Amino acid sequence: MPEMPDDPAAATEFPSERMTVDENIVFSSTFQVPAFYFSASDESGSPLSLPALIRSQLFHLPLPLSTLNIEQHTIDLPGPESDASPIPLLTQGEHPTTGRMCWFLHPCETSGAVKELLDHGAPPGERWELHWLKTWFVVLGRVVYLRGISV
C-alpha cells in the first residue's frame, strides 16, 4: 500500500481546477439507513482516482490519512483495539438504483453514529423520523462537505 501524506497540499496527484460531483442519498435496505453515494470527475470527464478524491475538497476527514487503510477501491478505519477487523468507510460499488459504479460511504456504522447524538430524543413538536434524518445529515457533514464545490 503506498504511503499517502497527511497534508493534502503535498499531494502529487490532485484533481484539476474544477471537478463535477454527482451526489445521491439512497436508502440501504440491508442496514435500514440512508447511504451517501457519489461519483466525481475532473474537467475532462475522467473519474477521479481514490488518492485524488480523498485529497479533493469533497471531504474533510476526521482522521489523518496515515491512520486509514487505503486500498484501490476502499478506505477502512482501524477497528477498536478490542476488535481487529477494520470498519469500512468509503467503498466503490454499484449504485443500487442506476447500476453505475460509484463511491459510497459504507452505512454499517451509521445507526450507531446517529444514536450517539440522539440520547435526548426529538425536540418538542418534531417527528422522531425527521429528527433522526437531520441528525444523520450532521454526521454525514462531519465527513463530506455538503455544499456546491467550486474550486
Side-chain angles (χ1 to χ4, degrees):
M1 175 175 72
E3 285 274 330
M4 300 182 105
D6 286 337
D7 179 10
T12 57
E13 182 184 356
F14 197 76
S16 61
E17 289 186 22
R18 294 193 184 269
M19 66 181 188
T20 301
V21 180
D22 180 32
E23 302 171 335
N24 295 252
I25 297 170
V26 180
F27 186 75
S28 168
S29 58
T30 303
F31 293 99
Q32 297 291 299
V33 295
F36 181 74
Y37 282 77
F38 65 96
S39 60
S41 55
D42 63 19
E43 286 181 295
S44 71
S46 298
L48 294 182
S49 67
L50 182 56
L53 184 63
I54 62 175
R55 290 183 179 111
S56 73
Q57 293 186 13
L58 180 61
F59 294 103
H60 49 104
L61 296 173
L63 300 169
L65 291 176
S66 61
T67 64
L68 302 175
N69 178 18
I70 301 172
E71 299 294 330
Q72 185 177 1
H73 300 288
T74 187
I75 298 177
D76 297 327
L77 293 171
E81 290 179 22
S82 61
D83 179 14
S85 61
I87 299 168
L89 176 64
L90 181 65
T91 305
Q92 190 175 42
E94 189 175 294
H95 190 287
T97 305
T98 66
R100 295 175 60 198
M101 289 301 289
C102 60
W103 295 97
F104 64 97
L105 294 177
H106 202 282
C108 68
E109 297 293 324
T110 298
S111 187
V114 170
K115 188 176 188 291
E116 284 185 35
L117 299 175
L118 290 178
D119 288 340
H120 303 291
E126 183 170 81
R127 294 183 53 192
W128 179 86
E129 296 88 352
L130 179 59
H131 185 60
W132 194 99
L133 189 58
K134 287 180 178 179
T135 304
W136 176 75
F137 275 109
V138 168
V139 171
L140 178 62
R142 298 287 294 157
V143 178
V144 177
Y145 283 111
L146 299 175
R147 58 169 172 72
I149 297 174
S150 178
V151 181

